[in-house]
Amino acid sequence: MATSAAVEKQVRTLDEATVRFCGDSGDGMQLAGTQFTNTSALVGNDIATFPDFPAEIRAPQGTLAGVSGFQVHFSSKDIYTPGDTVDALVAMNPAALATNLVDLRAGGILIVNSDAFESKGLDQAGYETNPLENDSLKNYRLYPVAMTKLTRAAVDGLELSQKEKDRCRNFFAMGLVFWLYDRPLEPTQRYIDDKFGKKPEIAQANTAALKAGYHYGETVEAINTQYHVPKAKLAPGKYTSIVGNTAVAYGLMAAARLSGKRLFLGAYPITPASSILEELARHKNFDVLTFQAEDEIAAMAATVGAAFAGAMAVTASSGPGIALKGEAMGLAVMTELPMVIVNVQRGGPSTGLPTKTEQADLYQAVFGRNGECPMPVLAASSPADCFDAAQEAWRIAVRYMTPVMLLTDGYIANGSEPWRIPKLSELKKIEIMHPGPSVNGDKFLPYKRDERLARPWALPGTAGLEHRIGGLEKQDITGNVSYDAANHQHMISLRATKVEKVVNDIPPQKLDGPPSGDLLVLSWGGTYGACATAVHNVQAKGKAVTHCHLRWLNPLPKDLGDILKRFKKVVIPELNLGQLRTIIRAKYLIDAVGLNKVQGKPFSVGEVVDKIEALLKGDAKDTEAKAEPIDKKAPAKAVLEKVAHGG
Amino acid sequence: MTVELPVLKPADFASDQDVRWCPGCGDYAILAQMKKVMPNLGIPREKIVFISGIGCSSRFPYYMNTYGMHSIHGRAPAVATGLKCVRPDLHVWVITGDGDGLSIGGNHLMHAIRRNLDLNIVLFNNRIYGLTKGQYSPTSPLGKKTKSTPMGAIDNPLHPLSVAIGCECTFVARSIDTEIKHLGEVLTRAAKHPGTSFVEVYQNCHVFNDGAWAYAKERESKADTTLELVHGKPLIFGKNRDKGIRLNGMDPEVVELGKGVSEDDLLFHDEKAPEPSLAYLLSRMRHEDGFPEPIGVFRAVEAPQYDAMINDQVTQATNERGVGDIDKLFASGDTWDVA
């Protein structure tokens, strides 16, 4: 690393910072964000990320619809969210500036590729005049950088087309931001060598652009301060940066190993769940079978078949796919076979917002099948937590012989955080019993239950246990088809009771804050980070508020009813219109208040803080989070107006 | 020391459940043949699994004393796919019908066939929805009047074997519920075929569509309306075996033997033809167009099987990279230590 700065620069130490890279979806912003994240993790910061990209792979270049962004929050303290506002914004074109400026804090660093601010680009972004040339950006520390020209100069002489040369711009931007936040280039250099090893010209060009960006930061006089964010104090251990979907895949693989099973994944490609299929497909030498089915229905049906065959059977999808799987999930409930159904929730209904996050599939998970069709449901709270939640899902599935649904969401599926890598030997074994061959010729009773009401998992190939299962109502104990009225009522109750018994495996609910008081914040799933941070912020101001975050949504923890009664008010922040709130109100008859947001985005900490403070002041109405201006024709104008009004 | 397998009889394959098809249903004959075929395969009973969807035919697994699953409408091929991928050692049958297999489950049937999983699919074709009491099915003829088509069906029927051949099925055959010897032989061959075998059985629903296959089943007419395929032999049919099928350009035609036409002029059956064109041509021969409808094995070729390949990839990956080490995997990529 070059250390001799040509210009005298100050170094300031910060507790934390948030950076966002944004540009056209072809500008490589996801890569820039990922590299910055990994490097920040490697230097020992705590991290939380928020990749945000359009559903279109390549919307028309330069348009507002095509803007892709990646936000990284890195810190020397524990953090749980990618940050409400941005300290430094890198905008590769006018459209990216127009759509992202709103999140840059006043006085924040704004680095723009000034070469992209020409008439066409400005026009597409809705700018009538060039914002770099008037004083509309005066509230920010604006650094216009001729990134296109500088990148071209850096790669000059390499045998590459103009297009290929320009594609290195994201590495220039990375290099500059790496300098700005005092990050090493080596991890990115390793990435380049690894990724482009077979294309040495491209590797060379990216390296040159990366270094040019870094040196530009070092030498250009305008940028006179470098920032340093020290290491975070994490628990001792070996760490890596992990995204939620990889953590799900790893958790499933660990669970398969811990239970001595082959892992079978039946899946159909769907955003934002596909990378679970892709990750598992890479690990066939772990006895992992991945079946890309012809559709979601087949993926679920094959999962049922694989469960019958004796594998650890899993399917992974998102809302629209889960809807298609509904009937086969009913078969799984009726046949009482263990399997895991992962729903990486996205914005709905219908196709909805495929690349955006939401928590609106809770009703679907708990109730969304025909008939009385109970299924245990749990939700992961963060990217790394997906690893534990996946194992937990399988443990419950086999203990109770039931399909289990694991909810995650687009935000934690794509977001990353540091993960303390466990040793396989530290993880709890998952015991599974299969009945052996019949020796005395007694008739096998496939629906005879143990104390948990779980039926035996008898595998095809076991002599003497031949039996037939299916979707028709079962006679208790024998499993034969039965249309008997009393038997149906009995079986419906049995299946419901069995799922309720899962509560015995749910540990007492943890509370963050006093055990009773004025206000309880009750949350579930991927909103953990925002809610935990908001509660900590309010607690730090000396106010009494308690946080209760649910892992299990069905059944709910045994002690939840008592906990709820100990608080005067309960607020439930959710990225839906109040689905957990409805369930809580119905089950515990308490008047819970909602904070509800359905904008395809996670909660900001500020939104939850505001709600908590309003409730502490006595305002007990349900609220919906405020949306940003929806006038997409002139967002730049709206943003400029907001800026002009000091927003 | 060798362990002698117990000698099983057809009765050993009967479950303890009462069979509840309507008296006189063609399904009884198919069930009886299946029970007869099973002991001769030399496969232990516990290794055999029957998977079905929904419909009259799909009750079949309940009546076989093997492993079985009566799954959901149309999805049996997909359930069987998951089962067979995980356990290629099992001998798996899929029992379906014309509605279950070709309508609601058409997609799964098509994909199971093109993957050439080692499954035996038997489609009971009665050209009607029986279990829902008499609506037209995807194999009902045009103009068919049923409860849901009081003015006659207006959609073109599907022909199951043409569909299977279109999906590159490696074993395609047809038989008739009442031709019990022939049916037994076809099921036996299907069972022994490596890869997907697809058997269409003309099956009579005497409650809702009685006589749909009368032309192919009645003693007086069947010799003239059906043609038994024999590999390597000319296509000859008729009570007096005096008619045959000859190719005229790309099209088959019915000719009378003698009168200048000899057996050598006829189309010879070749079930092992690598191209499915001949099998497809045979599947297009219809009674309504004046052709005898072939029964027997249309096509029997070998091709790689999905269930074997998905497991071969596991073996190959394991040979190349060793048995996966979880600790190593989790610690791969960029990591850092916190003391």
Side-chain angles (χ1 to χ4, degrees), chain A residues 276-489:
Chain A
I276 297 173
L277 165 64
E278 292 162 4
E279 182 66 37
L280 288 173
R282 296 171 51 212
H283 303 301
K284 298 190 197 301
N285 60 323
F286 290 77
D287 206 12
V288 172
L289 300 172
T290 52
F291 168 58
Q292 183 176 317
E294 57 272 21
D295 60 28
E296 294 281 1
I297 299 170
M300 187 68 230
T303 301
V304 174
F308 186 45
M312 174 181 169
V314 180
T315 189
S317 186
S318 188
I322 298 293
L324 284 164
K325 293 177 194 291
E327 189 196 16
M329 278 194 265
L331 178 66
V333 168
M334 204 65 160
T335 53
E336 301 189 46
L337 288 167
M339 65 199 77
V340 176
I341 299 142
V342 183
N343 178 358
V344 185
Q345 299 168 95
R346 69 188 215 188
S350 187
T351 311
L353 303 174
T355 61
K356 310 292 179 189
T357 199
E358 209 160 278
Q359 291 184 303
D361 294 348
L362 181 60
Y363 287 162
Q364 186 190 37
V366 178
F367 308 117
R369 294 163 294 278
N370 67 301
E372 294 286 350
C373 194
M375 187 182 292
V377 178
L378 77 167
S381 60
S382 74
D385 184 52
C386 291
F387 177 76
D388 299 327
Q391 289 169 69
E392 182 73 1
W394 179 236
R395 186 186 312 281
I396 294 301
V398 293
R399 265 177 79 74
Y400 291 86
M401 286 293 284
T402 175
V404 172
M405 188 176 291
L406 169 60
L407 295 176
T408 74
D409 61 53
Y411 166 61
I412 60 176
N414 291 316
S416 52
E417 68 176 337
W419 174 51
R420 199 188 71 80
I421 303 166
K423 288 267 174 233
L424 185 65
S425 56
E426 295 166 12
L427 303 172
K428 209 163 113 196
K429 284 255 174 300
I430 298 172
E431 303 290 342
I432 295 176
M433 294 276 290
H434 296 295
S438 161
V439 279
N440 51 14
D442 282 356
K443 199 176 150 32
F444 174 61
L445 298 169
Y447 278 72
K448 197 175 166 189
R449 292 160 197 281
D450 66 11
E451 69 283 0
R452 289 186 294 273
L453 300 182
R455 73 176 194 88
W457 191 6
L459 303 185
T462 317
L465 306 190
E466 292 86 352
H467 65 285
R468 277 68 55 193
I469 54 176
L472 284 171
E473 181 60 285
K474 301 280 162 287
Q475 187 178 56
D476 191 17
I477 301 168
T478 67
N480 291 329
V481 173
S482 168
Y483 302 111
D484 181 80
N487 177 73
H488 182 52
Q489 175 118 22

Side-chain angles (χ1 to χ4, degrees), chain B residues 91-94 109 112-113 116-123 164 169-173 186-200 299:
Chain B
H91 183 73
V92 183
W93 291 80
V94 170
L109 185 74
I113 291 174
N116 196 35
L117 286 133
D118 189 13
L119 301 174
N120 311 300
I121 304 173
V122 186
L123 185 144
C169 193
T170 55
F171 181 96
V172 181
V186 165
L187 291 176
T188 303
R189 283 210 51 198
K192 291 182 175 168
H193 173 74
T196 303
S197 45
F198 182 84
V199 179
E200 176 191 21
R299 185 168 200 236

